[in-house]
Amino acid sequence: MQRLFLLMCLIAPLSAFASDFDSAVNAVRDNCSLVANDLDSLKRMAGINTAISSVGAVASGVGLGAGIAKAQQDAKLSAIDNELAQGLTDAGFTIISDTSTAVDKIAEFLRSTELPNVKTAASALQDKRDKIIAKSTTLGNVRTGLLAGATVANVAGATIATNNKSDGLLWQDLSKCIASVKDLSNLYMQARISSDTTIDLSSVQDIISACSAVDRIDLAKIDGRASGATGASVVGASFGAVGTITSALANTQRIRNDITASGQTTEKKLNTTANIMAGGATVAGTTATIFNASQIRAINSASDIVEHCMGVLNEYK
């Protein structure tokens, strides 16, 4: 009877150890899987934001290109206007440049003359001018539309980046995962001390080795990249908003038809400002894209650690 009691005393701790190990491993699996899910959500949103910020950067860049092309058309238009004005001056007329349709009236006058050569040349010059105006107006509208789109993209990017950070739940899940791995490690040491041979300690050791790396996950790095993307997107949105307004104003009939020296200077300044804003929005959008991409890399680094941990856990029997 005493021998039987002694045998039961020896068996009970061993079976208790086995049960404790199963519970400890399951705790690691449950807690660390929550971290994996949290990181997947962050990575998905960072990917979406990278695409959005890329679209914003491209839109701003194309808008800048349209603005530069518009400036070239405006230079051609200015040359034609000067040619028309010079023709009238050579004919002995005084230029009145404070009306919005002065150049059109000059061309109309020249077309109405009875001299065939003058009439043909004036008509050709006016047709060329009309085509350039149409191109310039279209390019101005394209620039305005693209800058408006880039502004929307940057606002959306700033909103996503602001919210795509590790919240309290992720920090809590990560803390639980780390704590459960430590609990398993403590249980492993107890089993080693007790010389328990009924448990496959090598598989438990593999879990501890793989999952202890979770303690090295740096959520602050992930959040820092998100903050950088937020700041860049806000700057891009600001540039885009100012550029949109300036571009739209530069393309209005009132500005375009003011052929006075001050009017032409104002139009040139507005177009130059709009192009500068487009360039700034392009740089900011590109910077936001880089921050978003670097956040994805930081998340992937953390995810690789957790996925390796989960892979070893799934091999535990």
Side-chain angles (χ1 to χ4, degrees), residues 257-281:
N257 291 336
D258 186 350
I259 62 170
T260 63
S262 62
Q264 290 179 346
T265 299
T266 298
E267 182 181 8
K268 186 175 182 180
K269 285 182 177 179
L270 287 171
N271 281 313
T272 300
T273 300
N275 289 343
I276 292 174
M277 293 299 105

Side-chain angles (χ1 to χ4, degrees), residues 40-59:
D40 284 343
S41 178
L42 286 177
K43 181 164 59 177
R44 182 172 62 255
M45 294 308 299
I48 293 173
N49 207 16
T50 300
I52 290 175
S53 59
S54 297
V55 169
V58 171

Side-chain angles (χ1 to χ4, degrees), residues 86-295:
Q86 187 62 46
L88 192 58
T89 299
D90 293 343
F93 292 90
T94 301
I95 300 290
I96 299 174
S97 58
D98 57 352
T99 61
S100 62
T101 57
V103 174
D104 290 331
K105 288 183 177 181
I106 294 170
E108 182 181 352
F109 169 79
L110 292 175
R111 282 200 306 272
S112 66
T113 182
E114 295 301 324
L115 298 175
N117 291 340
V118 174
K119 185 175 182 178
T120 301
S123 296
L125 203 58
Q126 184 64 35
D127 290 342
K128 184 177 181 180
R129 182 177 185 274
D130 290 342
K131 290 179 181 178
I132 292 175
I133 289 175
K135 284 184 179 180
S136 176
T137 302
T138 299
L139 288 168
N141 289 335
V142 168
R143 179 183 61 190
T144 301
L146 288 170
L147 283 174
T151 301
V152 172
N154 279 307
V155 169
T159 302
I160 293 174
T162 299
N163 294 301
N164 199 42
K165 298 179 180 180
S166 58
D167 54 14
L169 183 60
L170 175 54
W171 283 90
Q172 181 179 342
D173 291 339
L174 182 60
S175 297
K176 288 181 178 179
C177 174
I178 293 172
S180 60
V181 173
K182 289 181 178 179
D183 290 341
L184 180 61
S185 179
N186 291 336
L187 191 62
Y188 169 80
M189 294 304 298
Q190 293 177 25
R192 287 288 302 272
I193 294 174
S194 67
S195 300
D196 187 349
T197 58
T198 64
I199 302 170
D200 183 7
L201 293 181
S202 63
S203 62
V204 175
Q205 185 177 17
D206 290 340
I207 293 174
I208 295 171
S209 297
C211 296
S212 293
V214 174
D215 195 24
R216 299 199 302 268
I217 292 177
D218 187 1
L219 295 181
K221 180 183 292 185
I222 295 174
D223 292 346
R225 303 296 188 274
S227 296
T230 300
S233 293
V234 169
V235 172
S238 300
F239 275 120
V242 174
T244 300
I245 295 171
T246 306
S247 179
L249 181 60
N251 220 34
T252 59
Q253 290 296 321
R254 180 178 65 83
I255 296 296
R256 294 186 64 87
N257 291 336
D258 186 350
I259 62 170
T260 63
S262 62
Q264 290 179 346
T265 299
T266 298
E267 182 181 8
K268 186 175 182 180
K269 285 182 177 179
L270 287 171
N271 281 313
T272 300
T273 300
N275 289 343
I276 292 174
M277 293 299 105
T282 302
V283 172
T286 301
T287 303
T289 302
I290 293 172
F291 271 115
N292 285 321
S294 64
Q295 186 190 32

Side-chain angles (χ1 to χ4, degrees), residues 27-86:
V28 173
R29 181 183 291 111
D30 292 343
N31 291 324
C32 295
S33 64
L34 294 176
V35 177
N37 294 336
D38 294 337
L39 291 174
D40 284 343
S41 178
L42 286 177
K43 181 164 59 177
R44 182 172 62 255
M45 294 308 299
I48 293 173
N49 207 16
T50 300
I52 290 175
S53 59
S54 297
V55 169
V58 171
S60 300
V62 176
L64 175 59
I68 293 173
K70 181 185 186 310
Q72 295 172 345
Q73 295 300 318
D74 289 343
K76 293 179 182 179
L77 182 61
S78 179
I80 292 177
D81 287 347
N82 290 336
E83 186 177 347
L84 284 169
Q86 187 62 46

